[in-house]
Amino acid sequence: MKKGLKVSLLAMSSLLAVAALAACSGNTDEPGSVEGEVSGAAMEEYAAGDQFKATEPITFSMLFSDHPNYPYKSDWLLFEELEARTNVSLDMTIVPMSDYTEKRSLLISGGDAPFIIPKTYPGEESPFVSSGAILPVSEYLHLMPHFTAAIEEYEMEPYLETLEQEDGNYYVLPGMHENVWPDYTLAMRMDILEELGLDVPETWDDLEVVLEEMKEAYPDVTPFSDRFTFESTMNIAAPTFGTVAGWGLGSGLKFDHDNEEFYFAPATDAHKDFVTYFHGLVEKGLLDKESVTQEDQQAQQKLVNGDSFVINTNSQTVIDYRNDMNETLGEDNFEIKKIPVPAGPLGGVMGGSKLENGVMINAKAKEDPNFEAMMQFVDWFFYSPEAKEFTKWGVEGETFTKDSDGNRQLADDVNYVGLNPDGTKALNADFGFSGGNFSYGGSTELLHSMMNDEEIEFQEEMLATKEPLMPDPPIKYNAMELEQATLLSTPLTDHVRQNTLQFILGTRDLEEWDDYVQELESRGLQNFLDLANSVYQEQ
């Protein structure tokens, strides 16, 4: 789509959305508010900024993913305070986290799912759309003023477009972040850089030079030995080369905005440049071949023993590395930190999304006399700034305090991920806050509020120096087309995964690149592209 046309369409869609909200909200001067005749325990007047409270005590059923590190407790302060604030109690169906995806599918398919189904990542709702088992939630945003306010404030329209199904609706209410939230990157031994007089690498080419210098100074060390079977590093690097790989491979499709069509990124010269770069690291002995096969623990052990200096990480695992290295190397004998994702041929770009896991609604809930109250409750509990602070930090004066500048601090006896190591009670395990079922999305300030200074510095540098890539438009397959697309894409992506690693490791010669592309074509590449583009053009 041409840029000017896209902007115009987005503007038009925003105006239509506002008009629809106003029409559905009754006669009110405040956009996004709910006012007028409502049924059951719903509030007659409810707007962004309001505390939801049902007009009478009510119970809603909800699915709950139970984490083994902080297992469900019915007497958590979270539930006690939630009932006091909203007049709502929750009838939980408890499912072990390890079985959650499978059990959720069985419950929905069998017609036995609770009304509120959280912990659903965008895309996971697609199998349930055609059966009518889940609600087209985008039709009910007039009941959700906090959700609609966040759409405007966080400029979410391009991201929400990616959720639309063939009928133009979306069927999951996603968690929404104010900004793209970068987390995974490379961790590097800063003390080794200082020892060798090297700067933190800003590009992948810089990284290669740094690794070469490390290898020269420490011949017995393979400086980069990775974890996550190299999937995370491929995921963060691929966008900077203009392709997709690793965790971010997906269907392999990317959108060409100039030509208004999808193409298969792993068959492009950009992907060849990507595998050529990492093959060069392997060939020079700078990247451990075992990175694609070893267990995470093996990769971590090499790092903490001083057998490698670079590894993929996120905000939590870098702390784990540091704690282990305190024991093996001694606290004053090393320094390890996250570095900003290096820039590639496309420059300082950053993949990712503002969307996170969210909520599906059982379609049967629509027939419940308290449906409107339930949607208001979901809106407040999952999307209001007040509830986001509540589900993350807990109750002010009990689990945390806040100073006059708005800075939050855990109570003296409460700990969470090392923020208050002297605390004897865990914010999640003992109180129910900062768990995975409710606490996600929201403002960047709230996200940063539970990060240490080091992580905030990383986040701010990434946001200041990297340009987030906008999401591709959705391809709204119907059920039959989706099945056909899956049948076509699976052999293609399987071949890509296998050969990407073979090219990188050198078990397949890069001279065979053209043969690889022809193999993709023989596996139905053109048919896949024709289907994707014809469906997109029909939209």
Side-chain angles (χ1 to χ4, degrees), residues 1-3 255-263 537:
M1 182 180 293
K2 300 296 184 184
K3 184 176 180 181
F255 190 69
D256 181 340
H257 289 277
D258 292 331
N259 294 312
E260 300 182 28
E261 65 180 9
F262 286 90
Y263 63 95
Q537 293 299 331

Side-chain angles (χ1 to χ4, degrees), residues 1 36 53 132 170 172 181 208 259 337 372 432 437 441 443 485 491 514:
M1 182 180 293
K53 189 162 189 177
Y170 47 90
V172 61
W181 172 24
E208 184 171 3
N259 294 312
K337 290 180 65 175
E372 291 174 329
N437 287 271
S443 69
D514 291 342

Side-chain angles (χ1 to χ4, degrees), residues 204-225:
W204 292 105
D205 288 340
D206 292 344
L207 175 67
E208 184 171 3
V209 172
V210 166
L211 296 175
E212 288 173 339
E213 294 289 335
M214 289 177 168
K215 183 68 174 178
E216 183 176 351
Y218 293 88
D220 295 333
V221 167
T222 303
F224 186 3
S225 187

Side-chain angles (χ1 to χ4, degrees), residues 377-417:
F377 168 75
V378 168
D379 174 69
W380 181 85
F381 188 40
F382 288 94
Y383 299 101
S384 73
E386 179 186 5
K388 286 185 179 299
E389 180 182 74
F390 166 64
T391 54
K392 195 174 187 72
W393 280 92
V395 179
E396 187 173 359
E398 294 193 49
T399 60
F400 78 103
T401 57
K402 187 189 294 186
D403 64 22
S404 57
D405 294 325
N407 299 312
R408 307 169 189 84
Q409 184 172 350
L410 290 173
D412 291 342
D413 62 341
V414 179
N415 184 29
Y416 179 70
V417 294

